[in-house]
Amino acid sequence: MEVRVSRKEHFNAAHKLSNPAWSKEKNLEIFGPCANENWHGHNYDLIVTVAGRPDPDTGFVVDLKRLSDLIRREVTDKVDHKNLNVDVDFMHGVMPSTENLAVEFWKILQPKISAISRFGKLHSIRLYETPLNYVEYFGA
Amino acid sequence: MEVRVSRKEHFNAAHKLSNPAWSKEKNLEIFGPCANENWHGHNYDLIVTVAGRPDPDTGFVVDLKRLSDLIRREVTDKVDHKNLNVDVDFMHGVMPSTENLAVEFWKILQPKISAISRFGKLHSIRLYETPLNYVEYFGA
Amino acid sequence: MEVRVSRKEHFNAAHKLSNPAWSKEKNLEIFGPCANENWHGHNYDLIVTVAGRPDPDTGFVVDLKRLSDLIRREVTDKVDHKNLNVDVDFMHGVMPSTENLAVEFWKILQPKISAISRFGKLHSIRLYETPLNYVEYFGA
Amino acid sequence: MEVRVSRKEHFNAAHKLSNPAWSKEKNLEIFGPCANENWHGHNYDLIVTVAGRPDPDTGFVVDLKRLSDLIRREVTDKVDHKNLNVDVDFMHGVMPSTENLAVEFWKILQPKISAISRFGKLHSIRLYETPLNYVEYFGA
Amino acid sequence: MEVRVSRKEHFNAAHKLSNPAWSKEKNLEIFGPCANENWHGHNYDLIVTVAGRPDPDTGFVVDLKRLSDLIRREVTDKVDHKNLNVDVDFMHGVMPSTENLAVEFWKILQPKISAISRFGKLHSIRLYETPLNYVEYFGA
Amino acid sequence: MEVRVSRKEHFNAAHKLSNPAWSKEKNLEIFGPCANENWHGHNYDLIVTVAGRPDPDTGFVVDLKRLSDLIRREVTDKVDHKNLNVDVDFMHGVMPSTENLAVEFWKILQPKISAISRFGKLHSIRLYETPLNYVEYFGA
């Protein structure tokens, strides 16, 4: 029996999209206003989903307090009120598109779920850049 | 051809999380404020998804009025404005975690979908305990 | 110049509506399922609004981190994961209707705003019992 | 590596549900108020999901500005502020249930994604008729 | 002491905006796609607010079950799944703009609040035509 | 007769809070993570409310398409995907708190409403910095 359990967290950050191999003109042509050199920013919503069978002692796939603490300590505390291009170690050299952020969050969280859940594994990362735009990643 | 059709319903209920095999101290250690012996409660949102091919006469996988009536009669009328530990027959002896509620709702609804839909089968139960916490169950 | 600044917090609680001067039958007649003797519960959303002129040094009517800390310490920590009829000192002898909760929250917070805001005063308390039902109180 | 990217758009339209092979009475019996002969209407929300690997040059599975432009030009501009039974070419002879709308939107968009995305394919169409009712289609 | 109590209801309807004193061309020029002669439609959200002092016996300004029943019987049942220009008695001869709908709903509900609330009076009508557009009316 | 009509728009921007008269240490002490020197950002939601009597020819206090166009041209196009401290003329020398942004938006829009509405005046600016934090301004 498998149940999926999801926890939503949020963070606010600045970024810009800019390929260092391209001219300023090409970056503006491809990325439009997202390439604004003085940055822009977003309120991001992050939904982390863990799948597994409920522990018979607790009825939990994963304790959501512990999942929330893990996401905050390992991910959102490192990006909240930060510049994603400049301030975040694990984004150095990575274009801060929503796609790439979700993949990096997966890499950080996937190995750490077993420490907080006997039967659960990371199932997906859903990341909203705006209420109209979001991405999902399910691992390689 | 398969289309998935979803209907959202809601209910308000009290519960507490407490393993009868454990001491009061251990329950507070594991469940934290969710173990408060005088109960707490939630506004639950329930999304029931039925999958199948649309009936050529109606364009419907399932008539959403009939699906809504079924969910209310069989599930939400039995838990709305109730205590999930005390008042609900199908939760006796079951820890009222969101995971376990979703599984019990599946067991009730799964055999009853064929009575209201020619081609549809129950696909999933999604249950929000709060806007930040939800679970999904897709059957055994 | 006056600007109104609002902060949203939330809590989860159990309660029931029951007038001790009435019979069980009359309580059920008047309050319907809200009188269920084994309790029910809600996810409450609380919006606290402070009005005043922005401090010229900060651009703030009130520092929202300090307002959030105040609301949590004085109000939501005292009602979250609690039974509003049984566990909450300031609700003893008060029917826990959404109206009365909002008035009690006002009485607690109104005298404490001046400690965190040079120019601001409490303007209103908005309390959602469900996404469909809410109350507002603006002081006596 | 596959990431799913979703874009939400919306439109407002009138429709009615009515099977031309049936009497007025049978249509009212089966479709209830949805068969009202003078029409009713909805604010529809449409979520289009594209799946693929992020382009290494941009970090994008698909440029969301181009995806939004495609959805508007090919789908929502053709149904927004329209009567789905009368005004929309691709719905002629099709019952305008949410299920059938989602399938027709898929048929229009699926062949056009490759023109705006090197690695992406259409993954799903999610269509909300109301906040309580939605359908999803993943292709035949 | 005054508390404001609000209840949200919804309905789905078709309409068009068209001034019968104007040519078809002028209507299209002024109302744009809202003048589409074959109609369009919306999911409307209606929030009705009653203000007064809480009844000491119940803690209620108004029983929200009775307020909901009143709104449904007198207003939303008469416009739900209807054409606002054609099917609704109280809108005959009235342009079905959101502004005019709110005013007509006020005229219907204002005299009826005293029948369900000892101390409350109608305070406002808020009507959402879409999540981005809404109106409020507070009486003449 | 007065009706209030509201239109919601949005924009995404970067900013930081920093008083140039203060040391770096004092700015971090007062503004916390909002003073991060490499910026952070938000998805802002802006609600502009116009009050007046409906025009008898149209049923409109203000044409919402024209109000939306005005807000975009005069306000959101100038702040969207921008750095509020660096890129925005009307914010030079103004601390970009949500309070101050709302006041500046009022100053821009208030004189321009009469050009698009015969009977309406600007009533309020509501600005959400996050779903949990917002401000309102009603003019001096």
Side-chain angles (χ1 to χ4, degrees):
Chain A
M1 183 205 296
E2 186 185 89
V3 181
R4 292 184 196 155
V5 176
S6 296
R7 173 69 190 176
K8 188 179 187 175
E9 300 287 341
H10 59 268
F11 62 96
N12 310 318
H15 78 153
K16 72 175 163 191
L17 299 178
S18 179
N19 185 329
W22 291 345
S23 68
K24 190 173 161 181
E25 289 67 30
K26 178 144 192 204
N27 274 303
L28 281 169
E29 180 202 327
I30 300 296
F31 292 117
C34 298
N36 177 38
E37 63 182 335
N38 292 321
W39 322 97
H40 67 286
H42 298 289
N43 304 329
Y44 290 88
D45 276 330
L46 169 62
I47 298 178
V48 175
T49 300
V50 173
R53 70 179 179 89
D55 188 313
D57 287 342
T58 60
F60 289 165
V61 172
V62 59
D63 180 321
L64 283 167
K65 176 69 169 63
R66 296 184 75 191
L67 181 58
S68 172
D69 289 346
L70 177 71
I71 301 168
R72 292 182 188 207
R73 190 179 61 243
E74 300 293 337
V75 175
T76 59
D77 285 356
K78 293 178 177 167
V79 289
D80 189 37
H81 284 79
K82 291 289 191 298
N83 183 312
L84 299 173
N85 302 64
V86 175
D87 293 327
V88 181
D89 282 357
F90 61 79
M91 293 303 293
H92 283 164
V94 181
M95 180 86 67
S97 68
T98 321
E99 288 90 329
N100 287 346
L101 280 165
V103 172
E104 297 304 315
F105 293 173
W106 173 283
K107 288 184 200 165
I108 294 168
L109 291 172
Q110 190 273 337
K112 295 188 161 63
I113 299 298
S114 61
I116 60 165
S117 173
R118 236 202 300 178
F119 305 115
K121 290 180 191 306
L122 185 60
H123 174 75
S124 62
I125 300 287
R126 181 185 282 213
L127 183 61
Y128 286 82
E129 189 183 60
T130 75
L132 303 182
N133 297 341
Y134 66 90
V135 308
E136 289 166 291
Y137 183 59
F138 301 83
Chain B
M1 183 204 296
E2 187 185 87
V3 182
R4 293 184 195 155
V5 176
S6 296
R7 173 70 190 175
K8 189 178 187 176
E9 300 286 341
H10 59 268
F11 62 96
N12 311 317
H15 78 154
K16 71 176 164 192
L17 298 179
S18 179
N19 185 329
W22 292 345
S23 67
K24 189 173 161 184
E25 290 68 29
K26 177 144 192 203
N27 274 303
L28 280 169
E29 179 202 326
I30 300 295
F31 293 117
C34 297
N36 176 38
E37 65 183 333
N38 292 321
W39 322 97
H40 67 285
H42 298 289
N43 303 329
Y44 290 89
D45 275 330
L46 169 62
I47 298 178
V48 175
T49 301
V50 173
R53 71 179 178 91
D55 188 313
D57 286 342
T58 60
F60 289 165
V61 172
V62 59
D63 180 322
L64 283 167
K65 176 69 169 63
R66 297 184 75 192
L67 180 58
S68 172
D69 289 347
L70 177 70
I71 302 168
R72 292 181 188 209
R73 189 178 63 244
E74 300 294 336
V75 175
T76 59
D77 285 356
K78 292 177 178 169
V79 288
D80 189 38
H81 285 79
K82 292 289 190 295
N83 183 312
L84 299 174
N85 302 64
V86 175
D87 294 327
V88 180
D89 282 357
F90 61 80
M91 293 302 294
H92 283 164
V94 180
M95 180 84 70
S97 67
T98 321
E99 288 90 331
N100 287 345
L101 279 165
V103 172
E104 297 305 314
F105 293 174
W106 173 283
K107 288 184 199 163
I108 293 169
L109 290 173
Q110 189 273 335
K112 295 188 159 64
I113 300 297
S114 61
I116 61 166
S117 173
R118 238 202 297 178
F119 304 114
K121 289 180 191 307
L122 185 60
H123 173 75
S124 62
I125 300 287
R126 182 184 283 212
L127 183 61
Y128 287 82
E129 190 184 60
T130 74
L132 304 182
N133 297 342
Y134 66 90
V135 308
E136 289 167 291
Y137 183 59
F138 300 84
Chain C
M1 183 205 295
E2 187 185 88
V3 181
R4 292 183 196 157
V5 177
S6 295
R7 173 71 191 174
K8 189 179 187 175
E9 300 286 341
H10 59 269
F11 61 96
N12 310 317
H15 77 153
K16 72 176 162 190
L17 299 178
S18 179
N19 185 329
W22 292 345
S23 68
K24 189 172 162 181
E25 290 69 31
K26 178 144 191 203
N27 273 303
L28 282 169
E29 180 201 327
I30 300 295
F31 293 117
C34 297
N36 177 39
E37 62 183 336
N38 292 322
W39 323 97
H40 66 286
H42 298 287
N43 303 329
Y44 289 90
D45 276 330
L46 168 63
I47 298 178
V48 175
T49 301
V50 174
R53 71 179 178 89
D55 189 314
D57 287 341
T58 60
F60 288 166
V61 172
V62 60
D63 180 322
L64 284 167
K65 175 69 169 63
R66 297 184 75 190
L67 181 58
S68 172
D69 289 346
L70 177 71
I71 301 168
R72 291 181 188 209
R73 188 177 64 242
E74 300 294 336
V75 175
T76 59
D77 285 356
K78 293 179 177 166
V79 289
D80 189 39
H81 285 78
K82 292 289 190 297
N83 184 312
L84 299 174
N85 302 63
V86 175
D87 294 328
V88 180
D89 281 357
F90 62 79
M91 293 301 294
H92 283 165
V94 181
M95 180 86 68
S97 67
T98 320
E99 289 90 329
N100 287 346
L101 279 165
V103 172
E104 297 304 316
F105 293 173
W106 173 283
K107 288 183 199 165
I108 293 168
L109 291 172
Q110 189 274 334
K112 295 188 161 64
I113 299 297
S114 61
I116 60 165
S117 172
R118 236 201 300 177
F119 304 116
K121 289 180 191 307
L122 185 60
H123 174 76
S124 62
I125 299 288
R126 181 185 281 214
L127 184 60
Y128 286 82
E129 191 184 59
T130 75
L132 303 182
N133 297 342
Y134 65 91
V135 308
E136 289 166 292
Y137 184 59
F138 301 83
Chain D
M1 182 204 295
E2 186 185 88
V3 182
R4 292 185 196 154
V5 176
S6 295
R7 173 70 191 175
K8 188 178 189 176
E9 300 286 340
H10 59 268
F11 61 95
N12 310 318
H15 77 153
K16 72 176 163 191
L17 298 178
S18 179
N19 185 329
W22 292 345
S23 68
K24 189 173 162 180
E25 290 68 30
K26 177 142 193 206
N27 274 303
L28 281 170
E29 180 202 326
I30 300 295
F31 292 117
C34 297
N36 176 39
E37 64 183 334
N38 291 322
W39 323 97
H40 67 286
H42 299 287
N43 303 330
Y44 290 90
D45 276 329
L46 169 62
I47 298 178
V48 175
T49 301
V50 173
R53 71 178 178 91
D55 188 313
D57 286 341
T58 60
F60 289 165
V61 172
V62 59
D63 180 323
L64 283 167
K65 176 68 170 63
R66 297 184 74 191
L67 180 58
S68 172
D69 289 346
L70 177 71
I71 301 168
R72 291 181 188 209
R73 189 178 63 243
E74 299 294 335
V75 175
T76 59
D77 285 356
K78 292 178 177 168
V79 289
D80 188 39
H81 284 79
K82 293 288 191 295
N83 183 313
L84 299 174
N85 302 63
V86 175
D87 293 328
V88 180
D89 282 357
F90 61 80
M91 293 302 294
H92 283 165
V94 181
M95 181 84 69
S97 68
T98 320
E99 288 90 330
N100 287 346
L101 279 165
V103 172
E104 297 304 316
F105 293 173
W106 173 283
K107 288 184 199 165
I108 293 169
L109 290 172
Q110 189 273 336
K112 295 189 161 63
I113 299 297
S114 61
I116 60 165
S117 172
R118 238 202 298 178
F119 304 114
K121 290 180 191 306
L122 185 60
H123 174 75
S124 62
I125 299 288
R126 181 185 282 213
L127 183 60
Y128 286 83
E129 190 184 60
T130 74
L132 304 181
N133 297 341
Y134 66 90
V135 309
E136 289 167 291
Y137 184 59
F138 300 83
Chain E
M1 184 203 294
E2 187 185 89
V3 182
R4 293 184 194 155
V5 177
S6 295
R7 173 71 190 174
K8 189 178 186 175
E9 300 286 342
H10 59 268
F11 62 95
N12 310 317
H15 78 153
K16 73 176 163 190
L17 298 179
S18 179
N19 185 329
W22 292 346
S23 67
K24 188 174 162 180
E25 290 69 29
K26 177 144 192 201
N27 274 302
L28 281 169
E29 179 201 326
I30 300 296
F31 293 117
C34 298
N36 176 40
E37 64 182 334
N38 291 323
W39 323 98
H40 66 286
H42 297 288
N43 303 329
Y44 290 89
D45 276 330
L46 169 63
I47 298 178
V48 175
T49 301
V50 173
R53 72 180 178 88
D55 189 314
D57 287 342
T58 59
F60 289 166
V61 172
V62 59
D63 180 322
L64 283 167
K65 175 69 170 62
R66 298 184 74 191
L67 181 58
S68 172
D69 289 347
L70 177 71
I71 301 168
R72 292 181 189 209
R73 188 178 64 243
E74 299 294 335
V75 175
T76 59
D77 285 356
K78 293 179 176 165
V79 289
D80 188 39
H81 284 79
K82 292 288 191 297
N83 183 312
L84 300 174
N85 302 63
V86 175
D87 294 327
V88 180
D89 282 358
F90 61 79
M91 293 302 294
H92 283 166
V94 180
M95 180 86 69
S97 68
T98 320
E99 289 90 329
N100 287 345
L101 279 164
V103 172
E104 296 305 315
F105 293 174
W106 173 282
K107 288 184 198 165
I108 293 168
L109 291 172
Q110 188 275 335
K112 295 188 161 64
I113 299 297
S114 61
I116 60 166
S117 172
R118 236 201 301 177
F119 305 115
K121 289 180 191 307
L122 185 61
H123 174 75
S124 62
I125 299 288
R126 182 185 282 213
L127 184 60
Y128 286 82
E129 191 184 59
T130 75
L132 303 182
N133 296 341
Y134 65 90
V135 309
E136 289 167 291
Y137 184 59
F138 301 83
Chain F
M1 183 204 296
E2 187 186 89
V3 182
R4 293 185 196 154
V5 176
S6 296
R7 173 69 191 176
K8 189 180 189 174
E9 300 286 341
H10 59 269
F11 62 95
N12 310 318
H15 78 153
K16 72 175 164 191
L17 299 179
S18 180
N19 185 329
W22 291 346
S23 67
K24 189 173 162 182
E25 290 67 30
K26 178 144 192 203
N27 273 303
L28 281 169
E29 180 201 325
I30 300 296
F31 293 117
C34 298
N36 176 38
E37 63 183 335
N38 292 322
W39 323 97
H40 67 286
H42 298 289
N43 303 329
Y44 290 89
D45 275 330
L46 169 63
I47 299 178
V48 175
T49 301
V50 173
R53 70 180 179 89
D55 188 313
D57 287 341
T58 60
F60 289 165
V61 172
V62 59
D63 180 321
L64 283 167
K65 176 68 169 64
R66 297 185 74 191
L67 180 58
S68 172
D69 289 347
L70 177 70
I71 302 168
R72 292 181 187 208
R73 189 178 64 242
E74 300 294 336
V75 175
T76 59
D77 285 356
K78 293 178 178 167
V79 289
D80 188 39
H81 285 77
K82 292 289 190 297
N83 183 313
L84 299 174
N85 302 63
V86 175
D87 293 327
V88 180
D89 281 357
F90 61 80
M91 293 302 293
H92 283 164
V94 181
M95 180 86 68
S97 68
T98 321
E99 289 89 328
N100 287 345
L101 279 165
V103 172
E104 297 304 315
F105 293 173
W106 173 282
K107 288 184 199 164
I108 292 168
L109 291 172
Q110 189 274 336
K112 295 187 162 64
I113 299 297
S114 61
I116 60 165
S117 172
R118 238 202 299 178
F119 304 115
K121 289 180 192 306
L122 185 60
H123 174 75
S124 63
I125 300 288
R126 182 184 282 212
L127 183 61
Y128 287 81
E129 191 184 59
T130 75
L132 303 182
N133 297 341
Y134 67 90
V135 308
E136 289 167 292
Y137 183 59
F138 301 84

